[in-house]
C-alpha cells in the first residue's frame, strides 16, 4: 500500500476538523503542516489530525514555531503520544530533551532500534542553524519494502536481525557507507552510549501498528541477520539499505530557525548531512514511546540483553481509519 491508497475523504475530514492544512513535500514521504501553533494546549481534534498526517506522510514539518521552549515542546509531545525519558543510555539535565549537535547523526538510522520498545516518533526543533548545509534527509522504509520483487519479499519476511548499541563504530560506518571508515565518536560519548548494553532481535519486516503496512526494520544499529554468516549479513544488509535510501524514497529538509520536524520512527530512517563544516548546529529532540514490533507472522521482537523499562512505557497503538490495509 502507498500513501495514494488512503481514502482522501477520510484524511480531508480529519484535517479540516483539526484546523490544519497538509501540503506534500515529496511524493512518497514528507508533508508540510500549516495552521497550528504547537503546544500542550492544542485541541483533541488538532492533536488527532497531526497524528494522522504523521502516520500518512511519515515525516511532517512545521515552520515559524519560534515560541517553542523545551517545556512547551515536551508538553506538545504529550498531546500526540507518551513522552520517553531522554534516551536509554544518554543523559540530559532534565531527562526529557536530548540536545543534537555536530555531525553525530550522519549515518542512516532508525532511532533506538537496539531496544524492544522502539520509539513511535521523535519531535525535533531547530535552535541554531548553520548559514549553509546541515539538512536532514528521511527515507520511507515502507516504500522500500513495497518496491522489493516478490522473491526478496518472501526472503525478508522470514528473516530476523540483531540490533545493538554496542558495536565497532568504525567497522559499522565503513559497512554502511560502502567505503573507508568514517570518523568515529569521541571516546567519552561512546562510553556513555554503551554504558548499558542492549541487544534485541527484531523481524526484518514489521507491521505498522496503525496502518497495517509492512516496513523494513534495519539501520545503523543492525548487527547481523539471525542464522546467516557475517559475510552474508553484510551483503544482504547493504542490498536492503540501498533500497531504503534510494533518492526517490527520500525527502530532504533544509532547516530554518523556528522549524519543527516530527517523524514516524516505525516507517522511516533518517540522516543528518554533515556538510556544514565547523559551524554550530543545535536541535532539541523529544521522543515518544512506541510499541514492540510484530512480524508478518505475528511474532514480537525478543530481548537478548538489557531492560528498557526505565526509558519508556510500551505504547498501545490503535488502527487508524482510511488506510487500505485496515
Amino acid at each position: 500500500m502507498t500513501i495514494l491508497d488512503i481514502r482522501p475523504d477520510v484524511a480531508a475530514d480529519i484535517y479540516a476538523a483539526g484546523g490544519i492544512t497538509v501540503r506534500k513535500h515529496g511524493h512518497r514521504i514528507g508533508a508540510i503542516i500549516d495552521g497550528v501553533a504547537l503546544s500542550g494546549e492544542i485541541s483533541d481534534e488538532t492533536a488527532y489530525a497531526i497524528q494522522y498526517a504523521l502516520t500518512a506522510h511519515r515525516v511532517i514539518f512545521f515552520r515559524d514555531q519560534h515560541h517553542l521552549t523545551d517545556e512547551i515542546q515536551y508538553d506538545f509531545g504529550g498531546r500526540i503520544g507518551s513522552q520517553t525519558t531522554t534516551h536509554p543510555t544518554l543523559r540530559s539535565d532534565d531527562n526529557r530533551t536530548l540536545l543534537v549537535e555536530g555531525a553525530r547523526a550522519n549515518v542512516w538510522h532508525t532511532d533506538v532500534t537496539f531496544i524492544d520498545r522502539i520509539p513511535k516518533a521523535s519531535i525535533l526543533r531547530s535552535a541554531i542553524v548553520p548559514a549553509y548545509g546541515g539538512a536532514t534527509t528521511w527515507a520511507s522504509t515502507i516504500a522500500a519494502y513495497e518496491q522489493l520483487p516478490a522473491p526478496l519479499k518472501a526472503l525478508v519476511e522470514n528473516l530476523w536481525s540483531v540490533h545493538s548499541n554496542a558495536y565497532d563504530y568504525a567497522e559499522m560506518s565503513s559497512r554502511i557507507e560502502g567505503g573507508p571508515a568514517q570518523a568515529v565518536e569521541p571516546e567519552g560519548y561512546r562510553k556513555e552510549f554503551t554504558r548499558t548494553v542492549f541487544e534485541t532481535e527484531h523481524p526484518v519486516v514489521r507491521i505498522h501498528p496503525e496502518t497495517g503496512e509492512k516496513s523494513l526494520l534495519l539501520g545503523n544499529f543492525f548487527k547481523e541477520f539471525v542464522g546467516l554468516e557475517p559475510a552474508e549479513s553484510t551483503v544482504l544488509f547493504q542490498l536492503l539499505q540501498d533500497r531504503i535510501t534510494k533518492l526517490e524514497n527520500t525527502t530532504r529538509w533544509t532547516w530554518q530557525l523556528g522549524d519543527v520536524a516530527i517523524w514516524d520512527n516505525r516507517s522511516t530512517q533518517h540522516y543528518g548531512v554533515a556538510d556544514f563544516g565547523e559551524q554550530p548546529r543545535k536541535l532539541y529532540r523529544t521522543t515518544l514511546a512506541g510499541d514492540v514490533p510484530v512480524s508478518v507472522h505475528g511474532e514480537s521482537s525478543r530481548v537478548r540483553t538489557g531492560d528498557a523499562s526505565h526509558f519508556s512505557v510500551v505504547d498501545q497503538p490503535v488502527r487508524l481509519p482510511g488506510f487500505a490495509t485496515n
Side-chain angles (χ1 to χ4, degrees):
M1 193 203 78
T2 70
I3 192 169
L4 300 178
D5 295 317
I6 299 171
R7 285 181 54 189
D9 58 323
V10 173
D13 288 347
I14 291 172
Y15 300 152
I20 65 172
T21 59
V22 180
R23 298 179 287 126
K24 292 182 70 169
H25 189 58
H27 181 61
R28 295 191 176 104
I29 179 174
I32 298 171
I33 310 298
D34 296 309
V36 60
L38 303 179
S39 77
E41 304 301 319
I42 60 173
S43 69
D44 291 346
E45 292 81 7
T46 299
Y48 186 71
I50 291 172
Q51 292 180 70
Y52 196 91
L54 171 64
T55 304
H57 294 276
R58 325 300 182 197
V59 57
I60 53 178
F61 306 103
F62 303 78
R63 294 282 197 194
D64 300 321
Q65 303 294 315
H66 300 283
H67 62 286
L68 288 181
T69 62
D70 287 355
E71 183 177 358
I72 297 173
Q73 178 178 337
Y74 184 83
D75 289 345
F76 163 70
R79 298 294 289 127
I80 62 172
S82 299
Q83 307 98 319
T84 71
T85 58
T86 300
H87 189 270
T89 59
L90 299 177
R91 301 178 177 92
S92 70
D93 291 338
D94 63 3
N95 202 31
R96 292 178 170 187
T97 306
L98 181 68
L99 170 62
V100 179
E101 60 181 337
R104 287 177 177 165
N106 65 328
V107 68
W108 282 106
H109 65 288
T110 297
D111 287 335
V112 200
T113 61
F114 47 84
I115 64 174
D116 58 339
R117 58 204 67 195
I118 296 174
K120 160 188 170 177
S122 288
I123 305 166
L124 194 65
R125 91 174 193 273
S126 60
I128 297 176
V129 298
Y132 60 82
T136 304
T137 300
W138 283 264
S140 171
T141 54
I142 288 176
Y145 168 83
E146 290 171 347
Q147 294 160 11
L148 291 177
L152 271 181
K153 286 181 178 178
L155 171 64
V156 296
E157 287 181 1
N158 290 284
L159 275 180
W160 287 69
S161 63
V162 179
H163 293 234
S164 178
N165 64 323
Y167 54 82
D168 186 323
Y169 281 70
E171 189 277 332
M172 176 58 75
S173 181
S174 175
R175 178 183 350 173
I176 291 175
E177 299 302 325
Q182 307 296 302
V184 299
E185 294 290 353
E187 183 61 31
Y189 180 86
R190 289 204 305 273
K191 185 176 181 180
E192 183 177 5
F193 195 85
T194 58
R195 62 190 174 91
T196 300
V197 174
F198 293 92
E199 197 168 90
T200 305
E201 291 184 15
H202 291 300
V204 175
V205 179
R206 67 172 297 181
I207 301 297
H208 194 290
E210 293 175 337
T211 70
E213 297 165 296
K214 297 176 181 178
S215 175
L216 292 175
L217 174 48
L218 291 168
N220 186 40
F221 299 113
F222 167 89
K223 183 178 180 181
E224 61 188 358
F225 291 110
V226 176
L228 298 188
E229 296 295 327
E232 295 169 333
S233 286
T234 297
V235 171
L236 181 56
F237 172 81
Q238 193 60 62
L239 183 153
L240 295 172
Q241 273 294 126
D242 287 347
R243 292 275 187 162
I244 291 168
T245 60
K246 185 179 178 182
L247 289 179
E248 288 78 4
N249 293 334
T250 68
T251 194
R252 180 168 173 146
W253 188 253
T254 300
W255 292 95
Q256 299 177 12
L257 286 178
D259 284 358
V260 171
I262 310 175
W263 63 93
D264 186 335
N265 200 53
R266 303 159 300 187
S267 62
T268 61
Q269 289 186 19
H270 58 283
Y271 185 112
V273 184
D275 60 348
F276 51 96
E278 299 300 317
Q279 299 179 89
R281 175 182 183 268
K282 290 187 177 181
L283 305 104
Y284 289 93
R285 189 181 85 190
T286 303
T287 302
L288 303 181
D291 61 310
V292 176
V294 175
S295 76
V296 298
H297 305 297
E299 299 175 87
S300 298
S301 297
R302 304 181 282 262
V303 174
R304 284 188 172 185
T305 303
D307 178 3
S309 59
H310 69 287
F311 170 62
S312 78
V313 299
V314 176
D315 187 39
Q316 302 297 325
V318 296
R319 290 295 176 94
L320 296 175
F323 289 85
T325 46
N326 289 347

